Amino acid sequence: MKLVPAAGGAFEVTVDGKKLYSKLDTGVFPEAEEVIKEMKS
């Protein structure tokens, strides 16, 4: 896992080049369980 600083309210989770979650797309922060579930699938 790697933290990449950003600006403008961006919060994105990417694994192996695949975006699993984007706060910019949804407008809200994810629950931890939501991110973990996506990482397992």
Side-chain angles (χ1 to χ4, degrees):
M1 186 182 305
K2 179 175 156 184
L3 177 62
V4 179
F11 178 84
E12 295 186 329
V13 178
T14 305
V15 176
D16 295 330
K18 178 183 173 194
K19 184 168 44 173
L20 299 181
Y21 187 87
S22 172
K23 179 183 171 279
L24 294 176
D25 293 343
T26 65
V28 297
F29 283 101
E31 294 293 326
E33 296 82 19
E34 182 180 357
V35 174
I36 292 168
K37 179 182 172 185
E38 288 295 322
M39 291 175 80
K40 290 180 178 180
S41 60

